């Protein structure tokens, strides 16, 4: 199929950004909204600097009868399983699924539960936040990496998909990219959430920057044991560069806590700690942050 029809599950900032980008670059694109949504189409608006671009996208809900052949998942990590199970009967055999979600551990479970799906993973550094429902500020252009471990040649659908954003590359070593993102998030997200600060303060305040170093050392030891020695060796400079590059951001975990929402801590620090346990590595600092964030989020 040279012109796939993409369905996007998860109409948050990143979901809307990609849905809009897919439509803008000529792919048929449909939003999957919650049960009870009555609109049959919704305007998706992207603001970039002084530019504003709007596309009306068709909408379906899990109660519809569409046959989905290409699915992009951009929900929160903790919503993936319930969201996918709500539309499972609409998914064709060999449906291409891209999981563009924070954290790790979700694709393994999806593959187990839905062996008939063709599942790929992705990670993005695009900066976007909602101004209101389906009205998104595209704050910073980033890079998106899509792949599946060991798949060197991108599948035919990728070329068109990649037109959705400025920089979207195929990554045959996507597991490293996902681990690296998770490792960075293990440091920045819980610290900013616990101290209620923007990312940049982690570098500016001495007591926080020494916590960044201590946490990096623990995450690096676990990364090394998990087979990601390169990431481990570069973790502290990588984290410092992300802090500098996103200094004005409020991390997604801080935003979740501020809005009283569930956080993705179980798929970030929680996942790291499962790996640490498998390798018999003590990780007291991460343990204590996991507890504090779970406590905050109650
Ligand atoms: O990914 C992020 C997040 O907030 O989840 C970082 C890189 C920390 C940027 O804020």
């Amino acid at each position: 199929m040279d012109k796939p029809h993409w369905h996007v599950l998860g109409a948050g900032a990143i979901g809307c950004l990609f849905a809009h980008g897919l439509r803008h670059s000529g792919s048929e694109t449909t939003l999957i909204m919650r049960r009870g949504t009555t609109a049959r189409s919704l305007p998706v608006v992207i603001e970039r600097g002084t530019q504003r671009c709007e596309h009306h996208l068709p909408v379906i809900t899990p109660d519809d009868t569409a046959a989905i052949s290409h699915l992009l998942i951009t929900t929160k990590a903790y919503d993936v399983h319930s969201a996918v199970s709500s539309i499972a009967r609409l998914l064709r055999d060999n449906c291409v699924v891209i999981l563009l979600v924070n954290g790790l551990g979700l694709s393994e479970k999806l593959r187990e539960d839905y062996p008939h799906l063709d599942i790929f993973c992705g990670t993005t550094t695009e900066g976007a936040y909602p101004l209101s429902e389906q009205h998104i500020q595209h704050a910073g252009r980033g890079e998106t990496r899509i792949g599946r471990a060991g798949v060197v040649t991108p599948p035919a659908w990728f070329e068109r998909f990649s037109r959705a954003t400025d920089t979207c590359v195929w990554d045959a070593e996507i597991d490293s990219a996902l681990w690296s993102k998770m490792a960075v998030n293990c440091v920045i997200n819980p610290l900013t959430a616990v101290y209620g600060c923007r990312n940049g303060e982690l570098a500016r305040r001495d007591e926080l920057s020494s916590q960044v170093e201590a946490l990096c050392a623990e995450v690096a030891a676990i990364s090394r044991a998990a087979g990601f020695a390169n990431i481990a060796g570069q973790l502290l400079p990588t984290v410092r560069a992300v802090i500098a590059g996103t200094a004005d951001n409020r991390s997604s975990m801080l935003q979740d806590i501020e809005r009283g929402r569930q956080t993705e801590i179980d798929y970030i620090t929680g996942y790291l700690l499962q790996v640490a346990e498998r390798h018999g590595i003590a990780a007291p600092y991460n343990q204590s942050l996991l507890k504090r964030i779970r406590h905050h989020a109650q």
Side-chain angles (χ1 to χ4, degrees), residues 11-33:
I14 291 294
C16 284
L17 186 68
F18 275 82
H20 185 278
L22 283 164
R23 175 71 192 76
H24 197 71
S25 57
S27 290
E28 204 179 334
T29 310
T30 297
L31 295 177
I32 307 175
M33 302 299 283

Side-chain angles (χ1 to χ4, degrees), residues 102 181 184-185 188-189 199 242 246 249-253:
N102 267 346
K181 171 89 163 68
V184 168
N185 285 149
I188 300 178
N189 292 27
N199 296 355
V242 174
T246 62
N249 280 24
R250 306 175 91 77
S251 76
S252 54
M253 199 169 284

